[in-house]
Amino acid sequence: EEGTPGRRGERSEEGPAERGPGAAFHMFVLMEDLLDKLKLLSYEEEALRRHNMRPLSRHYFALPTNPGEQFFMFCTLAAWLITKAGRPFEQPQEYDDPNAVISNVLSELRSF
């Protein structure tokens, strides 16, 4: 029957419980992949040392531990990646307006 959710090639609105037992751990796998890619780009030497920050744990963004710190780390990494891609981008400061910072990041990414 056409239009049946869950058929190959169609998107469904299933929750995590309907996707299988491994769906709850998908975010952890994504974070480990992200960390591997950041390490390939030498983020520890180029981004973290410049800002005197600790390296990310394998599950840093997968678990909400300190949203303010995690947001600042995300913005720092986003700014570094944009700069690494060849675009000048001002490094956000810890107490900048979060909405303005995200707006600037999104604006820069749209221009790619």
Side-chain angles (χ1 to χ4, degrees), residues 20-32 59 62:
F25 300 100
H26 183 67
M27 190 57 61
F28 295 98
V29 173
L30 288 176
M31 180 60 209
E32 288 184 26
H59 304 126

Side-chain angles (χ1 to χ4, degrees), residues 82 87 89 101-112:
I82 291 169
R87 304 269 182 126
F89 193 82
V101 172
I102 288 298
S103 178
N104 291 340
V105 168
L106 290 174
S107 174
E108 195 62 41
L109 293 177
R110 282 187 197 106
S111 71
F112 276 107

Side-chain angles (χ1 to χ4, degrees), residues 2 9 12 32 34 42 45 53 67 71 81 93-94 100 112:
E2 284 187 49
S12 64
E32 288 184 26
L34 170 67
S42 303
E45 293 82 21
M53 300 173 113
F71 178 77
L81 287 168
Q93 301 302 309
E94 192 167 0
F112 276 107

Side-chain angles (χ1 to χ4, degrees), residues 45-109:
E45 293 82 21
E46 294 182 23
L48 298 183
R49 284 194 185 145
R50 181 178 301 147
H51 302 289
N52 198 24
M53 300 173 113
R54 296 185 327 248
L56 300 177
S57 69
R58 291 180 341 162
H59 304 126
Y60 185 78
F61 290 117
L63 299 170
T65 55
N66 183 341
E69 177 186 298
Q70 288 172 311
F71 178 77
F72 180 65
M73 178 63 82
F74 169 78
C75 293
T76 299
L77 291 173
W80 172 71
L81 287 168
I82 291 169
T83 303
K84 189 148 181 86
R87 304 269 182 126
F89 193 82
E90 186 176 326
Q91 176 64 42
Q93 301 302 309
E94 192 167 0
Y95 298 105
D96 287 350
D97 176 30
N99 293 319
V101 172
I102 288 298
S103 178
N104 291 340
V105 168
L106 290 174
S107 174
E108 195 62 41
L109 293 177

Side-chain angles (χ1 to χ4, degrees), residues 11-26:
R11 298 190 80 152
S12 64
E13 299 297 322
E14 297 175 346
E18 290 85 22
R19 288 184 279 171
F25 300 100
H26 183 67

